[in-house]
Amino acid sequence: MMARARRAAALIPAMAILSCLRTESWDPCVQVVPNISYQCMELNLYKIPDNIPVSTEMLDLSFNYLRHLGSHNFSRFPELQVLDLSRCEIKIIEDNTFQGLNHLSTLILTGNPIQSLAWGAFSGLSSLQKLVAVETNLVSLDDFPIGHLKTLKELNVAHNFIHSFKLPEYFSNLPNLEHLDLSNNKIQNIYYEDVKVLHQMPLLNLSLDLSLNPLEFIEPGTFKEIKLNGLTLRSNFNSSYVMKTCIQGLAGLKINRLVLGEFKNERKLQKFDRSCLEGLCNLTIEQFRIAYLNKFSRNDTDLFNCLANVSMISLLSIPLGSLQALLKDFRWQHLEMINCDFDKFPALELRSLKKFVFTDNKDVSSFTKTELPSLQYLDLKRNHLSFKTCCSHTDFGTTNLKHLDLSFNDVITLSSNFMGLEQLEHLDFQHSTLKQINAFSTFLSLRNLRYLDISYTNIRIVFHGIFTGLVSLQTLKMAGNSFQNNLLPDIFTELTNLTILDLSKCQLEQVSWTAFHSLPSLQVLNMSHNKLLSLDTFLYEPLHSLRILDCSFNRITASKEQELRSLPRNLTWLNLTQNEFACVCEHQSFLQWVKDQRQLLVGAEQMMCAEPLDVKDMPVLGFRNATCQMSKTIISVSVVTVLLVSVVGVLVYKFYFHLMLLAGCKKYGRGESTYDAFVIYSSQDEAWVRNELVKNLEEGVPPFQLCLHYRDFIPGVAIAANIIQEGFHKSRKVIVVVSQHFIQSRWCIFEYEIAQTWQFLSSRAGIIFIVLQKLEKSLLRQQVELYRLLNRNTYLEWEDSVLGRHVFWRRLRKALLAGKPRSPEGTADAETNPQEATTST
């Protein structure tokens, strides 16, 4: 029975949350939980849909038109536990309508204009615990056939037309009844006879709510010796006199919780004075709450005299202003002062007080030290309090404090190291401004602290030992603060028991690799609303117990493939929504991982691409891998094409002159040469060329025609073109004048390289080397090919002596005559000794 009740209680909020959903699975109803819960709200139904399965445990048929409920109307749903028939225009409920619903625990009939309710309407409801009949035109409890519902715990008949408080005798058959709501009816008077059943059969756990009834009179002695769990009388009295007499009529009542006052939007009392509560001295009260009395006199602190022995007192929106010398001898253990317009913090000296709640008093700006030696729970949130020195046992007059809430206040200066407050387990500073938190290990003595909230406290964390000493901490919330250099350092070293960590909105851009190494028990980590650029899963690898990770609202573009394997194994919930994902082929493995991990990723459908612009705001799940395959093919072809074109271009550029030479060879290959030799030399050696070479060869017998750049090159044509077209193409041979200046000249070397190509392409070409002076081998080796060529072939060496000149010119003429067409002028002087001069071929 209890298990089913708990299950029903869990299903009610589920249906409320999903009341706006629609699906086509079980048209026209919404399937909230398959085969268990169905929501058929506001579908203009005139009967129960036929396709609801018999296994249904929760059924919402509210806001339809089920005007007439016949016998056994719901018998085909034997497992039903919760049935909501709110505002279905029901006018008639016949006998045995709910017959067969042996497991039904909650029945809601709110807002139905019932005209005929048969005496056996609720028969068969052997497990019913909650019955709601608000706004059902009920006039009297006597006419309500519920006397057989022995399991009933809660009966709500508020907002009806009940004039009499008389509790029918069948209430003696409801031993489990805990809550009776008769609020907003028409009850004016309460007499002894009305509660006679309570005298005869006490319902010790019963709580009555009579709020918003126009009470005028309660007969004295009516509640004498009656014990109730709770009684609520709010917005019942139209004058202080009526309130006073009615409270006097409660004399002799023993009650656990009494609630008096008014509602925020339902004010009836024009004036309130201390005499109204005098009758409370005749009641035995454990807990007392009074709310929303505007005309409360600021001098009426003695009105609490009748409440000296209560254990708990709550004051809500009572304009007390201040409490002077309050109640030193009172035995209160729990005191709440909420929105009571205090001018200053009350100086309390209550030795028995264990719990003190002082909140929403906006005019209080400074804290006054108290003397509360038994205090364990202190809630001071949502005031305007400032602390110049906080916090130690001298501030609160206790060393037993376990819960301290100073959230939503002003400036709090942490300078006392919590001396004497070593028993603290819960500490909340959120939305207050903390100072001196980086000065030293502020929390060093709080080894028992389990909960710490310093969210939005305007601190910039610099000191790495800020959390030293918090060895028992389980929950740490520090959202909305900042870190030096926007880097999360290794500050959690001693927090080995931490299970929940909130680092959202901390402007984090980077995280130290060792930041989470000391958190083996961490289960929930919130990193949302930061500036992280990537999902560095290696950071979270040491978090073996991590189940929930929120990285939403960052600037994450992707994660590397190898990093995705480092997520904690126990992770079941990962939020990456509202990031700046780059949907490009470079991150193809990450985008595929997103598709494969839909069960892990919460809101995967809301993960959108941010770049490139052509796919901006497109779902990440919509990215197609085939696009990358096509792109790879196109890119590969393009790269190969570009490489080929580049290679060809480089080759053409490098061998451009060689190609020109090749073309010239084909053009001039069969024609007569204009010159006998093209002379390659350094301009530094031009004097020798003019005075020796030209004079001896062109003026000698036989004469040879030389091609010289200073004389024979055509003006206006590029030098390289002249070298090839005038020098090589129109000459039989090439004379290379090798000297130290030649080797150091780039143009000379260029001409020499072209000469080699020319020699290779032309079958009749020959290169004659003349070495002007002895060359250093180290200098010659700078031109490797030339060095090898001179070592491998015969060359002419210039010697400036009579014999040396004779031999030099004779050998050079021999070399130039080789291959020269015969002519009468040249035959007579030709001396034949082919071994005297050799050309390199």
Side-chain angles (χ1 to χ4, degrees):
M1 177 68 73
M2 293 302 295
R4 289 181 177 272
R6 284 194 294 268
R7 190 171 182 180
L11 287 171
I12 292 176
M15 188 170 72
I17 292 171
L18 297 172
S19 61
C20 59
L21 297 178
R22 287 300 165 106
T23 183
E24 301 303 323
S25 301
W26 288 90
D27 188 34
C29 298
V30 174
Q31 182 180 225
V32 179
V33 180
N35 299 317
I36 299 295
S37 178
Y38 293 86
Q39 192 257 1
C40 308
M41 175 182 171
E42 207 170 0
L43 296 177
N44 297 321
L45 299 176
Y46 289 88
K47 67 173 186 175
I48 304 172
D50 296 329
N51 54 3
I52 303 298
V54 297
S55 60
T56 300
E57 297 179 8
M58 181 174 181
L59 181 59
D60 184 354
L61 293 167
S62 59
F63 293 90
N64 284 292
Y65 298 99
L66 309 177
R67 293 186 173 91
H68 189 137
L69 299 183
S71 177
H72 295 81
N73 217 49
F74 302 92
S75 59
R76 61 189 178 99
F77 304 111
E79 301 299 322
L80 207 59
Q81 296 181 26
V82 178
L83 177 60
D84 191 345
L85 298 172
S86 299
R87 305 192 186 282
C88 286
E89 301 294 329
I90 298 172
K91 295 182 178 180
I92 301 174
I93 301 179
E94 294 185 1
D95 285 324
N96 301 314
T97 292
F98 305 103
Q99 191 66 247
L101 303 184
N102 297 324
H103 301 304
L104 192 71
S105 61
T106 301
L107 175 60
I108 304 174
L109 296 170
T110 297
N112 287 292
I114 299 176
Q115 297 176 359
S116 175
L117 183 63
W119 279 105
F122 299 123
S123 62
L125 299 177
S126 57
S127 300
L128 194 67
Q129 296 183 18
K130 180 177 181 178
L131 176 58
V132 181
V134 175
E135 294 184 45
T136 54
N137 292 335
L138 190 62
V139 176
S140 171
L141 290 176
D142 286 328
D143 301 329
F144 206 47
I146 60 172
H148 61 289
L149 301 178
K150 296 184 178 182
T151 57
L152 195 65
K153 291 184 176 181
E154 181 178 345
L155 175 61
N156 190 342
V157 289
H159 291 265
N160 279 294
F161 301 99
I162 300 174
H163 287 79
S164 173
F165 181 64
K166 182 175 179 57
L167 301 180
E169 290 190 5
Y170 65 71
F171 266 74
S172 60
N173 296 325
L174 306 177
N176 295 302
L177 192 63
E178 296 178 353
H179 185 85
L180 174 59
D181 191 342
L182 286 164
S183 62
N184 212 344
N185 276 280
K186 306 298 179 182
I187 301 172
Q188 292 180 302
N189 303 304
I190 299 177
Y191 301 101
Y192 181 86
E193 288 295 321
D194 295 339
V195 296
K196 187 176 181 179
V197 67
L198 296 181
H199 287 282
Q200 296 174 346
M201 177 69 179
L203 298 175
L204 301 180
N205 292 320
L206 182 63
S207 292
L208 293 173
D209 191 344
L210 295 173
S211 300
L212 295 168
N213 280 283
L215 288 179
E216 295 180 356
F217 175 72
I218 297 178
E219 183 180 2
T222 297
F223 290 93
K224 186 177 182 180
E225 301 300 329
I226 288 181
K227 296 180 180 180
L228 293 177
N229 186 53
L231 174 62
T232 303
L233 298 171
R234 298 180 66 175
S235 297
N236 294 99
F237 315 112
N238 58 16
S239 70
S240 295
Y241 174 76
V242 173
M243 182 177 182
K244 178 181 179 180
T245 56
C246 287
I247 291 178
Q248 289 175 344
L250 297 175
L253 176 64
K254 296 180 180 180
I255 187 168
N256 181 54
R257 178 180 174 85
L258 176 63
V259 180
L260 298 178
E262 299 192 312
F263 291 102
K264 186 175 183 179
N265 300 318
E266 292 283 346
R267 306 296 180 92
K268 294 184 178 182
L269 276 179
Q270 299 299 318
K271 182 181 179 182
F272 178 84
D273 59 56
R274 71 183 69 185
S275 63
C276 291
L277 301 182
E278 289 179 355
L280 296 179
C281 291
N282 299 317
L283 279 66
T284 302
I285 306 170
E286 188 66 23
Q287 301 177 23
F288 177 74
R289 181 180 180 89
I290 188 167
Y292 294 103
L293 292 176
N294 278 340
K295 302 298 181 179
F296 207 96
S297 172
R298 289 177 176 251
N299 297 319
D300 286 345
T301 55
D302 58 343
L303 59 84
F304 297 112
N305 290 336
C306 290
L307 300 171
N309 294 320
V310 301
S311 63
M312 180 268 187
I313 184 166
S314 175
L315 309 175
L316 172 62
S317 293
I318 304 298
L320 290 173
S322 64
L323 291 177
Q324 300 296 330
L326 179 64
L327 331 166
K328 289 186 179 180
D329 298 326
F330 283 17
R331 300 177 183 176
W332 297 346
Q333 296 184 23
H334 182 169
L335 173 60
E336 294 181 358
M337 296 178 174
I338 303 171
N339 190 26
C340 289
D341 293 337
F342 278 91
D343 299 325
K344 60 182 180 180
F345 194 86
L348 299 179
E349 295 184 18
L350 297 171
R351 304 193 64 83
S352 61
L353 196 66
K354 294 181 179 180
K355 183 174 182 179
F356 181 35
V357 178
F358 184 86
T359 62
D360 296 288
N361 295 287
K362 303 299 184 182
D363 294 330
V364 180
S365 59
S366 60
F367 177 76
T368 303
K369 291 185 177 182
T370 59
E371 189 61 36
L372 305 171
S374 301
L375 194 66
Q376 298 180 9
Y377 185 106
L378 178 59
D379 185 353
L380 300 177
K381 64 175 172 282
R382 290 195 298 271
N383 297 297
H384 280 172
L385 292 172
S386 294
F387 290 79
K388 294 182 180 179
T389 57
C390 181
C391 302
S392 71
H393 68 286
T394 58
D395 297 323
F396 313 117
T398 181
T399 58
N400 298 310
L401 202 61
K402 294 184 177 181
H403 181 110
L404 176 59
D405 191 340
L406 296 175
S407 60
F408 297 91
N409 280 288
D410 285 343
V411 178
I412 300 175
T413 303
L414 300 178
S415 59
S416 299
N417 204 26
F418 296 91
M419 191 65 63
L421 300 178
E422 291 82 4
Q423 300 302 314
L424 269 177
E425 297 178 359
H426 181 108
L427 182 57
D428 193 344
F429 287 114
Q430 62 172 307
H431 290 277
S432 297
T433 300
L434 293 182
K435 290 189 175 182
Q436 295 189 14
I437 195 169
N438 284 301
F440 54 94
S441 297
T442 307
F443 309 109
L444 184 62
S445 62
L446 301 182
R447 303 185 67 83
N448 293 309
L449 196 68
R450 288 172 171 76
Y451 180 99
L452 174 61
D453 193 342
I454 55 172
S455 304
Y456 306 98
T457 49
N458 300 315
I459 60 176
R460 182 174 181 81
I461 296 175
V462 178
F463 180 48
H464 288 194
I466 183 173
F467 299 124
T468 300
L470 299 177
V471 295
S472 299
L473 197 65
Q474 297 176 0
T475 300
L476 174 58
K477 297 182 178 181
M478 48 193 308
N481 293 299
S482 63
F483 292 83
Q484 189 176 28
N485 300 322
N486 294 330
L487 168 69
L488 177 64
D490 187 3
I491 58 175
F492 309 119
T493 306
E494 296 189 11
L495 310 187
T496 55
N497 291 303
L498 199 66
T499 58
I500 299 174
L501 176 58
D502 185 357
L503 289 166
S504 60
K505 296 184 179 180
C506 287
Q507 305 176 45
L508 288 172
E509 296 178 0
Q510 300 178 25
V511 179
S512 168
W513 287 107
T514 59
F516 302 131
H517 280 201
S518 303
L519 304 176
S521 302
L522 195 67
Q523 298 180 22
V524 179
L525 175 59
N526 188 353
M527 298 289 289
S528 66
H529 294 87
N530 282 296
K531 299 178 181 179
L532 301 176
L533 298 177
S534 64
L535 181 63
D536 295 327
T537 56
F538 287 126
L539 296 173
Y540 313 114
E541 188 174 11
L543 305 177
H544 304 301
S545 303
L546 193 66
R547 296 185 296 104
I548 297 175
L549 175 60
D550 190 348
C551 290
S552 60
F553 291 93
N554 275 280
R555 298 177 181 176
I556 297 172
T557 55
S559 181
K560 296 179 182 178
E561 183 175 4
Q562 61 270 25
E563 291 180 350
L564 296 175
R565 305 190 189 102
S566 302
L567 285 171
R569 289 178 297 177
N570 292 320
L571 195 66
T572 59
W573 193 96
L574 174 60
N575 190 350
L576 294 177
T577 58
Q578 301 297 324
N579 274 285
E580 300 176 2
F581 298 111
C583 296
V584 294
C585 293
E586 178 185 352
H587 303 313
Q588 181 181 359
S589 59
F590 170 74
L591 299 173
Q592 182 60 45
W593 179 83
V594 171
K595 295 179 181 180
D596 297 339
Q597 299 294 330
R598 293 190 193 184
Q599 291 184 343
L600 173 65
L601 294 168
V602 60
E605 296 77 9
Q606 282 76 50
M607 293 172 63
M608 300 296 173
C609 300
E611 57 182 59
L613 291 177
D614 58 333
V615 296
K616 184 177 175 61
D617 296 328
M618 180 190 81
V620 172
L621 294 176
F623 183 82
R624 296 181 177 274
N625 293 334
T627 306
C628 291
Q629 299 302 327
M630 293 177 59
S631 300
K632 287 179 181 178
T633 303
I634 295 172
I635 291 172
S636 299
V637 173
S638 301
V639 168
V640 171
T641 303
V642 170
L643 285 175
L644 287 174
V645 171
S646 301
V647 169
V648 171
V650 169
L651 291 174
V652 168
Y653 174 78
K654 184 171 183 178
F655 298 104
Y656 172 72
F657 298 108
H658 301 270
L659 295 173
M660 286 180 62
L661 188 64
L662 176 61
C665 287
K666 290 181 179 180
K667 181 178 180 181
Y668 299 104
R670 297 179 182 179
E672 293 296 327
S673 299
T674 304
Y675 306 104
D676 291 299
F678 170 50
V679 183
I680 300 174
Y681 63 93
S682 169
S683 59
Q684 302 289 328
D685 303 320
E686 190 169 326
W688 182 86
V689 172
R690 284 174 181 266
N691 297 329
E692 297 290 346
L693 192 65
V694 174
K695 184 176 180 180
N696 282 281
L697 292 181
E698 288 191 345
E699 297 177 9
V701 179
F704 296 96
Q705 186 66 36
L706 302 177
C707 180
L708 302 165
H709 67 81
Y710 67 85
R711 181 186 69 189
D712 300 313
F713 280 7
I714 301 173
V717 177
I719 295 176
N722 268 318
I723 291 172
I724 293 172
Q725 295 172 4
E726 296 299 321
F728 290 108
H729 289 167
K730 294 182 180 181
S731 302
R732 289 188 305 108
K733 295 185 182 296
V734 173
I735 296 175
V736 179
V737 181
V738 181
S739 67
Q740 184 173 348
H741 302 301
F742 178 91
I743 294 174
Q744 294 175 338
S745 171
R746 293 180 61 189
W747 273 109
C748 291
I749 298 303
F750 169 72
E751 290 176 309
Y752 162 68
E753 290 176 351
I754 297 298
Q756 283 186 299
T757 304
W758 170 76
Q759 182 186 29
F760 175 76
L761 295 174
S762 178
S763 60
R764 57 181 180 154
I767 301 176
I768 302 170
F769 290 97
I770 299 174
V771 177
L772 282 185
Q773 71 257 35
K774 290 290 184 180
L775 299 173
E776 295 180 7
K777 287 188 176 182
S778 60
L779 183 64
L780 189 58
R781 285 194 180 105
Q782 292 179 7
Q783 300 298 328
V784 178
E785 289 300 324
L786 180 60
Y787 175 72
R788 289 176 179 174
L789 214 73
L790 292 177
N791 283 334
R792 194 170 60 240
N793 297 281
T794 305
Y795 56 86
L796 296 173
E797 248 184 307
W798 170 255
E799 290 187 19
D800 194 10
S801 64
V802 175
L803 180 60
R805 283 170 173 267
H806 176 76
V807 174
F808 176 83
W809 293 117
R810 184 175 178 176
R811 295 178 68 192
L812 179 57
R813 287 190 182 97
K814 278 283 190 196
L816 289 173
L817 283 172
K820 181 177 174 65
R822 297 285 180 173
S823 63
E825 299 80 5
T827 310
D829 295 305
E831 298 183 31
T832 59
N833 189 358
Q835 299 301 320
E836 291 182 352
T838 305
T839 63
S840 88
T841 58

